[in-house]
Amino acid sequence: MSTRYPFTAVVGMDDLRLALLLNAVSPSVGGVLVRGEKGTAKSTAVRALAELLPEVAVVAGCRFSCDPASPDPGCPDGPHGDGGADARPARMVELPVGASEDRLVGSLDIEKALADGVKAFEPGLLAAAHRGILYVDEVNLLSDHLIDHLLDAAAMGASHVEREGVSVRHAARFLLVGTMNPEEGELRPQLLDRFGLTVEVAASRVPEERVEVVRRRLAFEDDPAGFAARWAGEEAALRARIVAARRLLPSVALGDAVLLQIAATCAAFEVDGMRADIVMARTATALAAWAGREEVTGEDVRQAALLALPHRRRRNPFDAPGMDEDKLDETLERFGGEEPDDDPDPGPDGPGDGGPGGGGGVPPQGGEGPAPGTDGVPERAPGSDGVPEQAPDRAPAPRGAAGERAAVKAAEPFRTKVLSVPGVGDGAAGRRSRARTEHGRTTGATRPRGALTKLHLAATVRAAAPHQRARGRSGAGLVVRRDDLRQAVREGREGNLVLFVVDASGSMAARKRMGAVKGAVLSLLLDAYQRRDKVGLVTFRGRDAELALPPTSSVDAAAARLEELPTGGRTPLSAGLLRAHDVLRVERLRDPSRRPLLVVVTDGRATGGPDPVGLAARAARLHAADGTASVVVDCEAGPVRLGLAGNLARDLGGTAVTLDELRADAIAGLVREAQVNRSARRAA
């Protein structure tokens, strides 16, 4: 067995270590989500925690880790008699991002179940993680169907496996720990809320700390066992402190005054639901026990808020997690009658090189929170159309080099109509286009390739029925062979690669439309986030096109690039389309099963060089030849319309929609108006 890096040897990251230790003291806190850039030792710290957890008593021979003091009455290996008890180390089970559903929840032998009526169940990772830690690295890249099972298990404390009427249930209570790089995409809100605490980590900018990180890492790689032995004393002391805090935890008093502070804080920051209040109460209690106290203080509440609330304050996917600490202090002072302690007592064994602080520090945030009183809600731009107010023509926006104009603020996003790729694909599960998936409605049956995962019962019975006499069937049971089994073919929805090609030339800015255009693209990005798409961003202006954002799952990153997008110069439409063609060509090699959707946002104009319109038409026909699904968002405005965007859509082999037609509420309004007119005609 490989030697793990010692937990106490991790340099810095006090908030991450504290959050992990609080969960070790009180698993009911609900786990930790660790957000941070790549290469910041997130996984190293999480994996090191397992060595500090106390041993777990289990029923001897039980594959589901039942507690001898209160075994699960529904355990598949039960009922448990007086078979004795064993003690084993707490497990840390890692869930790979690409794991199958059967690997996570377990699998049933359908052939034995049909032929013999026997529930032959092979436990999965949820069973292995019971009463331990379930760790998901890159949790934001986890497939939707796996997330659904995690949510069910986290909510009910049990896992259910259903296969064509055969059901198995077992207990699955675990500490959920996830790490993620926000640049690769965000989590679904339901799963995000299931993490009790969250911390942001970043590489230290202090040269001395970076030197110490490198020194310790090199020493560990040269001699893992020797390095671990040098830290054995600190590890043992920290392990003993966890045990002592666990013993003290039931004695910690959580008074009404503290509960009022917790409730007032959650109300002041407008968090959804009541889970935040409960998590804050459990975290504050664990902080007091960790510090060796039997009473929760206002500083414990403050620290609990900084760990439990940042990820619960997001109002939309583009809001950065964060806390307004001035507002927090004001709320605690108002409802607690005490000033926040600027220098809290960390309790015994305070911060040092070998262990995290007892009171913890302030989690570093990815950016400044919204101004007090805004709560992250974007300010509505003046004007009835929601487009940010522009300066009059006699006072143009500031310009940079070559006539470049400063970035324009995006208009308020809106709900868009559904844009999808025609046909049926085989891409990753999502919510945009039709696809053959593991989940969805059953459309047919086929012979299984590899292990059977979704049985088509009727097709299996039809395949086995003609052979019953030849197989010597004599009883009521159906004689089933492996060749008879049929896999259900199901149709659901897939996520696509949505590549935005945005016109940022002077023609867009001259008519003061860029705010509305950015608002439309932001709306489409929000739709892409909800439908589990990958996104990319190509912009063109001046003389060339730029890949502003390579295809990624991080819609947040695309929104940030869009916000910074300047405008000005000529309209090299052909360059934008050619750059998009190169991007899609590379992506087809990387991920051939993910179908692309090209969204071109332009007024259709093309300028610069000889025959710019002809070049743009030829570039568009390259996409049509590849069969790329495309939509042109027509940004042309004014009483006289040239229809250039429609011509571009025809060359692309796609469709064109105006900014107004892109709105889902506008389409619903047209439907309602048509219904009203039809009813009026019938009444007449």
Side-chain angles (χ1 to χ4, degrees), residues 254-265 277 280-282 296 301:
L254 190 67
D256 290 343
V258 171
L259 284 173
L260 179 60
Q261 281 188 313
I262 292 172
T265 301
D277 304 63
M280 273 189 64
R282 289 171 174 166
V296 176
V301 175

Side-chain angles (χ1 to χ4, degrees), residues 1 54 86 89 123 148 158 161 196 236 259 302 334 341 388 420 424 441 477 524 561 626 644:
M1 184 176 179
D86 292 333
D148 291 339
V161 183
L259 284 173
R302 184 181 192 277
R334 177 182 175 189
D341 190 356
S420 60
V424 181
R441 64 186 182 92
L524 290 168
R561 301 291 171 86
D626 290 339
L644 298 176

